[in-house]
Amino acid sequence: MNIGIVGCGAIANIIVSKIMSEDNGLEIKYFYDRDAERAENLASLAGGIAVLKLEDMLKSVDLVLEAASPYALKSVALEILEYGVDLMVMSVGALMDEDFRLKVSELANKNDAHVYAPSGAIVGLDGIKASSIGNITEASLTTRKSPKSLGRKVTEEEVLFEGKASEAVKIFPVNINVAASLSIACNMDIDVKIIVDPKVDRNVHEVFVKGDFGEFKTISKNIPCNSNPKTSMLAAYSAIKLLKSFNEHTSIGT
């Protein structure tokens, strides 16, 4: 599988370093970023090619991994799918825009392309996907992050947001992709609370889901990336695992 990457920041660097270290049938060959120097640096590390235009990679790849931002995803997704190229989305928050999500789905169907979204920085999405076969009556996310992660200067715990996921992703577009993943998996606009807490040094996500299946609660305490505290290491690892799964013949989990 030949892979291109859009967005050559912290997540892309982790993915490339892990994929390169193994013989797994995956080749990350093309790199695109609005900052051409970042693309060139990562391409040099991977022995790949930095391109100045997205279209320069689309005839040569099987899948494009977007690791940039919701804004960037909206600017590249439709062009990628028009080429019939598969797309892996890290900026899931962009898919909370229903019109955009519908266009993505229609183009993917029309051109026999697939759109993938890794589980990201939370656990329990497999259970939510299974429970959505029935009736989910309640779903919520409480996220607690350090001031550094949220770009705030506070000395005491503070609730920054309390409301629906569709609003949270607009106010915190690069911090709360997990809310979008949960909402889409639940088929509902979940309740979200975001807390900045100077006492924590990890990105903490507490998920609660209730329905006719029963109920469950998960807590993830994720170590942030050194180069980007807004991003959890688990988010990058989930993308790596999904990429590897394309060449596996046995699948565990929903």
Side-chain angles (χ1 to χ4, degrees), residues 25-41:
L26 302 171
E27 184 176 3
I28 303 178
K29 191 171 182 180
Y30 294 92
F31 300 85
Y32 173 77
D33 195 291
R34 286 191 304 171
D35 183 339
E37 185 176 355
R38 288 209 308 183
E40 290 169 1
N41 289 340

Side-chain angles (χ1 to χ4, degrees), residues 154-174:
V154 298
T155 56
E156 295 182 358
E157 176 184 314
E158 180 183 338
V159 176
L160 296 182
F161 176 87
E162 193 163 7
K164 292 298 183 180
S166 57
E167 290 302 312
V169 298
K170 294 175 184 177
I171 299 170
F172 301 92
V174 297

Side-chain angles (χ1 to χ4, degrees), residues 3 29 39 43 64 78 97 119 122 151 154 156 188 202 212 216 225 235 245:
I3 300 166
K29 191 171 182 180
V64 172
L78 303 185
D97 179 333
S119 54
I122 52 172
V154 298
E156 295 182 358
M188 64 189 294
R202 297 190 180 189
D212 59 12
F216 67 77
C225 297
S245 73

Side-chain angles (χ1 to χ4, degrees), residues 113-165:
H114 298 85
V115 179
Y116 304 96
S119 54
I122 52 172
V123 298
L125 268 186
D126 55 345
I128 291 173
K129 287 165 63 179
S131 61
S132 70
I133 297 299
N135 183 35
I136 295 176
T137 57
E138 184 180 347
S140 64
L141 167 71
T142 300
T143 288
R144 187 180 297 269
K145 292 191 175 188
S146 69
K148 183 179 179 181
S149 178
L150 287 167
R152 302 294 176 113
K153 292 183 178 181
V154 298
T155 56
E156 295 182 358
E157 176 184 314
E158 180 183 338
V159 176
L160 296 182
F161 176 87
E162 193 163 7
K164 292 298 183 180

Side-chain angles (χ1 to χ4, degrees), residues 160-254:
L160 296 182
F161 176 87
E162 193 163 7
K164 292 298 183 180
S166 57
E167 290 302 312
V169 298
K170 294 175 184 177
I171 299 170
F172 301 92
V174 297
N175 288 98
I176 204 71
N177 283 303
V178 292
S181 298
L182 286 166
S183 289
I184 294 169
C186 288
N187 298 313
M188 64 189 294
D189 198 358
I190 69 165
D191 297 315
V192 175
K193 180 186 285 188
I194 302 173
I195 302 168
V196 58
D197 187 349
K199 297 188 298 295
V200 302
D201 59 358
R202 297 190 180 189
N203 298 329
V204 182
H205 302 292
E206 182 177 312
V207 176
F208 177 76
V209 180
K210 184 177 182 180
D212 59 12
F213 70 96
E215 62 183 63
F216 67 77
K217 181 179 183 179
T218 68
I219 299 177
S220 309
K221 298 181 179 180
N222 300 322
I223 295 175
C225 297
N226 289 331
S227 58
N228 184 358
K230 297 177 183 178
T231 299
S232 298
M233 290 293 291
L234 185 61
Y237 288 172
S238 72
I240 294 165
K241 183 59 181 175
L242 182 53
L243 286 171
K244 289 182 177 181
S245 73
F246 297 146
N247 288 329
E248 294 174 351
H249 298 284
T250 302
S251 178
I252 305 296
T254 300

